Amino acid sequence: MNGGKVTLRRTAGLYAGAAVLRLALFTLFPGLPDLLTGRVEISTPVTSFKRLQEGLFLYNHNVSPYDGGVYHQAPLLLPIFNLLPSFSAFPIFTYLLYIAIDILSAHALLRIAESGEAGSSARFTSPRRDKRWSGAIIAALFLFNPFTIATCIGRSTTVFTTCAILHAIANAISGRPFHAMVALAFASYLSMYPLLLLPPLILLCYDRQKLPATGAPNAWIKFTATMVMDVLGALAVLFQMSFFLTGSWEFLSSTYGVQLTLSDLAPNIGLWWYFFVEMFDSFRSFFLAVFWLHLSSYVGGLSVRLRQQPLVVITLLLGIFSIFKPYPSIADASLFLGMVPLYRHVFPLLRYSFVIAAIIIYTTFLGPAFYHLWIYAGSGNANFFYAITLVWGLGLSLLVCDLAFAVLRDEWEVERPEMAGKEIRQI
């Protein structure tokens, strides 16, 4: 009993410390939020707070928020922010909203960590499962990650997607599949790409329901169909509410069409924008299909190969999305990096930890410098910034691959205990 009270106090202290830090940055440095909002590493055409303000202005003046081609975000964000007092007069309420969303995300991550799913799933138990960090430590690593803090201060709307994804995972692990599907539907409504997490999330829900093995086709098919219908039903409700709000279906092309066609080529830390700036129009449709096919092709392979550990599949996919989605930002990287500490038990099996850390730190500092040289100093060009984003992508790719190797090596050592601890060389 006393131990539970101590843990509760520590968790409450952690959340309070994170909230105070963010509130201090908001209030003591009043120019910092606008500075970070304008950074391409934080804000993208589909998550920018400035574009949200533009859409909100049009919405309040009875004009379609999608007129002018500036606002590319979900319609239901508009009434949420419209309920808050005027941002210019009372910005504190917006600050508190973003702080609260960050804490809710961290709490969901804490629930995931405390479940022990990363080291001991329904179908696989790692012999290293005891070597893990507490949920409070993992939540702290997420809350005090500079990328997470910068995203909060920059008021990117990606924080809502992050919160929905983490709650979808937490609900799936808790044995509440309907709540998980609704949360995933909301995340997909906001950003579209989370819909690709549906297959591993269904596997995670199925394992936690203690239903017959997937070899029982009827039970498996019925459960999968139910989950898919839950997601589609929730999306249908959200789309219908959006239609009533805006009075047309224009939001579909303005919100999701922009991501599918990459019609806004604003620079970001992703790999798509520069490639399509240089693309001839006659080849554009073909390569859009190729890029989207590449992004979605990982889902099936990972879900089949790592069937015993669906949470690993979700984590690896989040890392892949942070690299290869059309409009990534450091918020996507912070979500992936927040999930990685769940696998503390396989850290000794990682091979390139120093190289990965060095690359991420290197690009974190040089990225803004190269962008400044290109846009403000005029002493560089787009190649400067795109080159550093390629290095950033390389660092995250190495982390995804190294984590996948460590997890597979852990599985292999369970199958062949005599090989535990022995060095394996690839020929």
Side-chain angles (χ1 to χ4, degrees):
M1 189 70 176
N2 291 332
K5 291 183 178 179
V6 171
T7 302
L8 184 61
R9 291 195 191 99
R10 289 177 178 174
T11 304
L14 168 66
Y15 294 160
V20 168
L21 173 61
R22 285 161 170 74
L23 195 58
L25 291 173
F26 274 126
T27 55
L28 297 180
F29 304 93
L32 185 60
D34 288 336
L35 173 65
L36 293 180
T37 300
R39 297 300 312 177
V40 296
E41 300 89 350
I42 297 172
S43 298
T44 70
V46 295
T47 63
S48 170
F49 183 75
K50 287 184 177 179
R51 295 189 182 224
L52 174 63
Q53 287 180 299
E54 176 69 21
L56 191 59
F57 176 83
L58 296 175
Y59 172 75
N60 287 329
H61 288 78
N62 297 319
V63 178
S64 171
Y66 300 101
D67 284 356
V70 175
Y71 182 66
H72 300 302
Q73 301 176 50
L76 293 183
L77 287 175
L78 297 172
I80 293 175
F81 280 88
N82 197 42
L83 290 173
L84 300 175
S86 170
F87 175 77
S88 57
F90 303 100
I92 187 65
F93 292 99
T94 302
Y95 299 160
L96 292 175
L97 172 63
Y98 275 88
I99 293 171
I101 294 297
D102 261 11
I103 292 175
L104 286 174
S105 299
H107 185 67
L109 189 57
L110 182 144
R111 288 169 56 198
I112 297 169
E114 294 294 344
S115 72
E117 176 72 20
S120 181
S121 66
R123 299 173 182 271
F124 175 79
T125 299
S126 171
R128 301 176 173 86
R129 64 187 180 280
D130 295 330
K131 298 178 180 178
R132 64 187 181 98
W133 284 324
S134 67
I137 291 177
I138 291 175
L141 291 174
F142 173 78
L143 283 172
F144 294 98
N145 183 335
F147 296 154
T148 307
I149 295 173
T151 301
C152 178
I153 305 302
R155 297 161 296 174
S156 168
T157 54
T158 312
V159 299
F160 297 98
T161 304
T162 296
C163 186
I165 290 174
L166 289 173
H167 276 84
I169 300 171
N171 284 321
I173 293 174
S174 301
R176 297 190 291 178
F178 176 76
H179 296 82
M181 294 301 111
V182 171
L184 182 67
F186 186 67
S188 303
Y189 168 78
L190 293 175
S191 299
M192 194 173 72
Y193 80 90
L195 194 60
L196 294 173
L197 296 174
L198 180 59
L201 197 65
I202 290 177
L203 294 175
L204 185 57
C205 290
Y206 187 86
D207 290 346
R208 283 288 173 166
Q209 292 302 298
K210 296 181 174 58
L211 294 173
T214 53
N218 292 337
W220 166 245
I221 293 173
K222 181 179 179 181
F223 184 83
T224 301
T226 302
M227 295 298 96
V228 172
M229 292 304 297
D230 287 343
V231 172
L232 294 179
L235 283 174
V237 171
L238 291 169
F239 287 156
Q240 195 64 48
M241 292 172 63
S242 300
F243 174 76
F244 288 143
L245 182 68
T246 61
S248 72
W249 296 104
E250 180 187 9
F251 71 91
L252 291 175
S253 59
S254 298
T255 302
Y256 311 110
V258 167
Q259 299 186 54
L260 288 171
T261 62
L262 206 78
S263 56
D264 193 319
L265 293 173
N268 54 73
I269 62 172
L271 307 177
W272 291 43
W273 68 274
Y274 186 80
F275 189 88
F276 284 94
V277 163
E278 303 294 333
M279 178 65 61
F280 290 110
D281 289 341
S282 57
F283 297 106
R284 182 179 177 87
S285 298
F286 171 76
F287 279 100
L288 277 171
V290 170
F291 273 52
W292 272 110
L293 180 63
H294 170 255
L295 179 64
S296 57
S297 63
Y298 293 96
V299 179
L302 288 173
S303 298
V304 172
R305 178 60 186 86
L306 292 167
R307 168 63 186 93
Q308 298 184 90
Q309 302 186 72
L311 185 61
V312 173
V313 179
I314 294 173
T315 303
L316 294 177
L317 286 176
L318 289 175
I320 291 168
F321 296 157
S322 71
I323 305 165
F324 296 118
K325 60 180 283 195
Y327 295 105
S329 68
I330 61 171
D332 302 294
S334 72
L335 173 57
F336 173 52
L337 295 175
M339 295 288 287
V340 169
L342 295 172
Y343 305 94
R344 165 66 183 84
H345 59 284
V346 298
F347 278 10
L349 300 177
L350 297 177
R351 299 166 296 173
Y352 308 116
S353 304
F354 174 78
V355 175
I356 293 168
I359 290 176
I360 291 177
I361 294 173
Y362 170 82
T363 52
T364 298
F365 286 100
L366 280 188
F370 281 16
Y371 185 78
H372 178 83
L373 290 175
W374 171 31
I375 297 297
Y376 299 105
S379 56
N381 54 38
N383 293 329
F384 277 57
F385 182 65
Y386 188 63
I388 204 66
T389 62
L390 290 176
V391 181
W392 166 264
L394 172 64
L396 292 178
S397 299
L398 280 175
L399 181 54
V400 170
C401 294
D402 212 18
L403 181 60
F405 168 82
V407 169
L408 290 172
R409 174 63 190 262
D410 192 42
E411 279 191 4
W412 184 68
E413 289 186 1
V414 171
E415 297 171 1
R416 302 185 62 181
E418 71 277 6
M419 302 301 295
K422 294 185 179 180
E423 181 180 357
I424 304 297
R425 294 184 180 180
Q426 298 178 352
I427 301 176

